[in-house]
Amino acid sequence: MVKKRKVATKRFIDSLCNVLSSKKAEDIKIINTTKKTSEFDYMVIVTANGKYHIEAIADEVEKFIENNNITVLGKDVNPETGWIVFDLVHTVIHIMSPEVREYYSLERIWETPK
């Protein structure tokens, strides 16, 4: 029997955006990925200015995850790379430096029609 994964709700996304905004994450982009993949529902991409800003946002996301008992499938939390990723089953969060975000251009990849 295949277990159906939990779907991200608007309330969850709004709460997550509030957390990101509280730490001054910039250019918050929410991409609905349900028509592109069945692996997750949303991709949230934010910009942070520098290593310490990336760490501050990531720490706040960690608290949000812990306080809400959210399942984490995986994470890469090395701020030295300029890119931190949290895979929360139904939502993937990318915290990126401006340079990394521009270089990888995830919005362009995920928003392009299939």
Side-chain angles (χ1 to χ4, degrees):
M1 182 173 163
V2 176
K3 185 177 178 184
K4 185 168 169 38
R5 68 179 172 78
K6 194 173 182 182
V7 176
T9 64
K10 180 177 179 347
R11 190 170 131 206
F12 170 82
I13 295 298
D14 288 345
S15 295
L16 176 59
C17 286
N18 287 336
V19 166
L20 296 167
S21 293
S22 76
K23 286 298 174 182
K24 308 291 189 239
E26 297 176 2
D27 195 17
I28 298 171
K29 182 74 172 186
I30 300 154
I31 302 170
N32 183 324
T33 58
T34 55
K35 290 188 169 120
K36 292 262 188 181
T37 182
S38 61
E39 296 298 315
F40 51 93
D41 301 323
Y42 292 96
M43 180 178 294
V44 178
I45 306 167
V46 304
T47 300
N49 292 305
K51 177 184 143 192
Y52 298 114
H53 192 203
I54 291 172
E55 287 175 339
I57 295 169
D59 288 346
E60 204 63 25
V61 170
E62 291 266 17
K63 289 176 195 169
F64 175 74
I65 289 167
E66 187 176 309
N67 291 340
N68 292 283
N69 296 318
I70 298 168
T71 301
V72 178
L73 282 182
K75 61 184 177 178
D76 183 354
V77 290
N78 182 355
E80 299 293 329
T81 65
W83 188 354
I84 288 181
V85 180
F86 292 91
D87 183 343
L88 308 181
V89 182
H90 50 59
T91 304
V92 177
I93 304 165
H94 297 274
I95 306 166
M96 308 170 92
S97 70
E99 300 81 15
V100 170
R101 186 168 179 177
E102 182 179 339
Y103 181 81
Y104 286 100
S105 189
L106 295 179
E107 292 96 329
R108 183 181 51 78
I109 295 166
W110 283 93
E111 290 182 325
T112 304
K114 204 171 190 183

